[in-house]
């Protein structure tokens, strides 16, 4: 299938938000913010859209994403990236949350309720071991539309990010999979990624099955 991979732009925000959420559903069937959003009146896709539009997504701003377009010109997939040298490696920092809560007009009580649930999973600080990644340039929120899966489209976005990382001087590209998602683990293995670390459910208070960290070392990186 002919495809085109291009950088995302601001007008892509709704599709990005939808696919960010879609990327979290395999294996666990829920998103990383679902529990914290309970009782807020905000659905996960609207929340992700707000993160993007307020530059509060710590795991990939709009301009970090690539959009995969299929033959008819419609968007078929996304993949973002962030860097592992950030002082806070959580998907949402305290500063970012202030902007999001203000945009959503949350009361102090709603904001505090969300933040309590959020830090119970991700920790009070952004340096917890399970947030660390052995790669430098980290892929995140990679997903292909459900009706287009099984056509080996994911690899086009991975290769676009590898090229971007190489151009920017990074020596390695990292990716993360949910423990048990063998489809992603095998697909990344075929692209040259190797498993470098695993974090089991004990790192997530038994609330999550765990994560697999994969790394691709860029050949001839300087």
């Amino acid at each position: 299938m002919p495809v085109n991979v291009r950088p995302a732009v601001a007008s892509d925000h709704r599709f990005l938000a939808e696919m960010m959420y879609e990327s979290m559903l395999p294996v666990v069937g829920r998103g990383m913010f679902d529990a914290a959003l309970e009782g807020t009146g905000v659905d996960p896709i609207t929340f992700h859209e707000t993160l993007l539009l307020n530059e509060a997504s710590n795991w990939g701003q709009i301009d970090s994403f690539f959009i995969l377009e299929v033959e008819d010109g419609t968007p078929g997939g996304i993949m973002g990236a962030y860097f592992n040298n950030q002082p806070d490696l959580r998907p949402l920092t305290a500063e970012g949350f202030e902007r999001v809560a203000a945009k959503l007009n949350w009361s102090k009580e709603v904001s505090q309720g969300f933040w309590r649930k959020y830090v119970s999973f991700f920790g009070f600080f952004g340096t917890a071991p399970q947030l660390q990644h052995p790669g430098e340039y980290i892929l995140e929120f990679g997903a292909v539309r459900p009706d287009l899966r099984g056509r080996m489209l994911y690899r086009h976005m991975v290769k676009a990010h590898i090229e971007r990382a190489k151009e920017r001087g990074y020596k390695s590209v990292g990716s993360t999979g949910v423990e048990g998602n063998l489809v992603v683990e095998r697909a990344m293995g075929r692209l040259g990624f190797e498993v470098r670390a695993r974090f089991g459910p004990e790192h997530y208070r038994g609330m999550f099955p765990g994560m697999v960290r994969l790394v691709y070392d860029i050949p001839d990186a300087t």
Side-chain angles (χ1 to χ4, degrees), residues 65-79:
F65 281 86
F66 278 114
I67 299 279
L68 181 141
E69 294 178 328
V70 292
E71 189 173 10
D72 63 0
T74 60
I78 70 165
M79 184 174 287

Side-chain angles (χ1 to χ4, degrees), residues 67-108:
I67 299 279
L68 181 141
E69 294 178 328
V70 292
E71 189 173 10
D72 63 0
T74 60
I78 70 165
M79 184 174 287
Y82 67 98
F83 312 113
N84 75 351
N85 59 354
Q86 299 175 137
D88 188 333
L89 291 170
R90 294 174 298 179
L92 175 63
T93 66
E95 293 78 11
F97 176 64
E98 289 181 4
R99 297 196 298 275
V100 170
K103 185 66 177 181
L104 294 172
N105 295 314
W106 281 354
S107 67
K108 181 179 179 180

Side-chain angles (χ1 to χ4, degrees), residues 12 30 49-50 64 66 74 82 86 88-89 99 109 126 129 137 154 158 160 171 174 181-182 196 198-199 203 215 222:
D12 293 313
R30 64 184 186 275
E49 196 171 16
T50 307
S64 79
F66 278 114
T74 60
Y82 67 98
Q86 299 175 137
D88 188 333
L89 291 170
R99 297 196 298 275
E109 291 72 24
Y137 179 104
Y154 197 86
V158 174
K171 296 181 180 179
N181 191 344
L182 297 180
R196 298 284 173 85
R198 293 183 184 273
F199 295 93
H203 290 277
V215 176
T222 57

Side-chain angles (χ1 to χ4, degrees), residues 68 79 142-144 152-158 175 184 188 191:
L68 181 141
M79 184 174 287
V144 173
M152 301 181 71
L153 299 178
Y154 197 86
R155 61 178 178 168
H156 296 288
M157 296 183 291
V158 174
S175 181
V184 167
M188 298 305 282
L191 291 169

Side-chain angles (χ1 to χ4, degrees), residues 8-218:
V9 295
S11 59
D12 293 313
H13 62 84
R14 184 66 182 182
F15 183 70
L16 289 172
E18 292 170 349
M19 296 304 290
M20 286 168 73
Y21 189 65
E22 186 70 34
S23 74
M24 305 175 200
L25 301 182
V27 180
V28 294
R30 64 184 186 275
M32 68 174 80
F33 299 113
D34 283 13
L37 285 170
E38 291 179 1
T40 66
V42 175
D43 65 90
I45 294 175
T46 298
F47 186 75
H48 280 92
E49 196 171 16
T50 307
L51 289 180
L52 292 170
L53 291 174
N54 289 274
E55 298 184 346
S57 175
N58 204 37
W59 286 1
Q61 304 295 335
I62 288 176
D63 61 4
S64 79
F65 281 86
F66 278 114
I67 299 279
L68 181 141
E69 294 178 328
V70 292
E71 189 173 10
D72 63 0
T74 60
I78 70 165
M79 184 174 287
Y82 67 98
F83 312 113
N84 75 351
N85 59 354
Q86 299 175 137
D88 188 333
L89 291 170
R90 294 174 298 179
L92 175 63
T93 66
E95 293 78 11
F97 176 64
E98 289 181 4
R99 297 196 298 275
V100 170
K103 185 66 177 181
L104 294 172
N105 295 314
W106 281 354
S107 67
K108 181 179 179 180
E109 291 72 24
V110 170
S111 298
Q112 289 177 339
F114 175 97
W115 193 250
R116 266 196 312 271
K117 295 175 185 176
Y118 172 75
V119 299
S120 73
F121 185 77
F122 286 101
F124 285 96
F125 306 101
T127 56
Q130 64 268 27
L131 294 170
Q132 306 296 321
H133 202 299
E136 295 179 333
Y137 179 104
I138 314 302
L139 306 180
E140 190 55 66
F141 300 122
V144 173
R145 266 175 24 206
D147 61 305
L148 295 173
R149 291 175 187 163
R151 306 185 190 189
M152 301 181 71
L153 299 178
Y154 197 86
R155 61 178 178 168
H156 296 288
M157 296 183 291
V158 174
K159 290 179 178 178
H161 273 293
I162 289 174
E163 285 303 310
R164 177 188 279 175
K166 184 175 181 179
E167 290 171 0
R168 296 183 179 182
Y170 290 94
K171 296 181 180 179
S172 63
V173 175
S175 181
T176 298
V178 176
E179 188 69 70
N181 191 344
L182 297 180
V183 172
V184 167
E185 194 170 329
R186 290 167 181 163
M188 298 305 282
R190 287 192 291 269
L191 291 169
F193 285 74
E194 299 177 348
V195 175
R196 298 284 173 85
R198 293 183 184 273
F199 295 93
E202 68 278 6
H203 290 277
Y204 303 92
R205 300 173 57 196
M207 300 165 62
F208 192 73
M211 304 297 282
V212 181
R213 304 297 198 202
L214 303 105
V215 176
Y216 174 82
D217 294 313
I218 301 175

